[in-house]
Amino acid sequence: MIQLKITQTLTHCLRLLIPTTVDGNQPIDTADLVRQINQDLCSFCGGTLCKQHRGYYQSDTLGLVEEVIYEIEVWTTEFGLKQVEPHLQGWIRKILVDLRQESVLVMMDGQALLWEVSKGDILSQKPTPNPVFSGHEKRVAYHYPKGSIT
């Protein structure tokens, strides 16, 4: 009889959504960014799941926007999460700035975090949580000073 054993417990889950449009509704090829983030996460955590979805969101300027999005999911240990954390803000920065997004949704350990570029004081370098309530879901937006994400 073959005996099985658990070799690791992966206690942390990170999910990152990557859009396929810029300026709200202009198609752009984000395959290189999706591939790079998957490659980075695989080197830190061993593997990822990458899924393609159709997403919708309400834009303040464009109304209802529909687009294809990629969701990258990784399960990892405490050590793996510490390896990923220094890179996470860089990926979010690329999505917000390079893809000219209004916000980026990141899910970590069952909590959804909505990231935006802050219009606040440029001297403040530390992110501060700003709770945003939508229906029954609580999201936290971490705001960065204008110009601090370059």
Side-chain angles (χ1 to χ4, degrees):
M1 175 186 265
I2 297 175
Q3 293 198 3
L4 305 175
K5 69 177 183 174
I6 297 172
T7 59
Q8 287 188 51
T9 301
L10 307 176
T11 56
H12 296 285
C13 179
L14 174 70
R15 294 168 50 208
L16 177 65
L17 301 181
I18 302 171
T20 59
T21 59
V22 294
D23 298 327
N25 62 357
Q26 300 302 309
I28 188 170
D29 183 3
T30 57
D32 288 341
L33 179 60
V34 170
R35 191 174 303 106
Q36 183 62 55
I37 294 171
N38 274 293
Q39 182 178 345
D40 292 346
L41 285 169
C42 284
S43 70
F44 301 134
C45 305
T48 65
L49 296 171
C50 186
K51 304 170 230 172
Q52 189 178 44
H53 303 284
R54 180 153 309 278
Y56 298 83
Y57 71 94
Q58 188 67 34
S59 167
D60 291 340
T61 55
L62 300 171
L64 185 63
V65 175
E66 174 185 352
E67 68 179 323
V68 171
I69 59 169
Y70 290 94
E71 176 187 359
I72 299 174
E73 179 177 338
V74 63
W75 284 86
T76 189
T77 61
E78 185 73 26
F79 178 78
L81 185 62
K82 287 181 194 253
Q83 297 276 318
V84 168
E85 283 176 342
H87 302 274
L88 182 59
Q89 286 187 29
W91 299 326
I92 292 169
R93 186 178 299 117
K94 278 186 163 298
I95 295 167
L96 284 170
V97 177
D98 295 354
L99 300 181
R100 299 185 295 275
Q101 298 296 304
E102 294 174 4
S103 60
V104 175
L105 184 64
V106 177
M107 285 74 68
M108 186 178 299
D109 295 337
Q111 184 178 24
L113 305 170
L114 188 63
W115 291 72
E116 299 173 343
V117 175
S118 175
K119 296 170 181 65
D121 180 8
I122 197 164
L123 299 175
S124 172
Q125 295 295 321
K126 190 173 180 183
T128 55
N130 180 17
V132 179
F133 295 94
S134 173
H136 299 291
E137 173 185 309
K138 178 180 179 184
R139 290 187 259 169
V140 179
Y142 288 88
H143 294 279
Y144 283 87
K146 186 176 183 180
S148 70
I149 297 183
T150 57

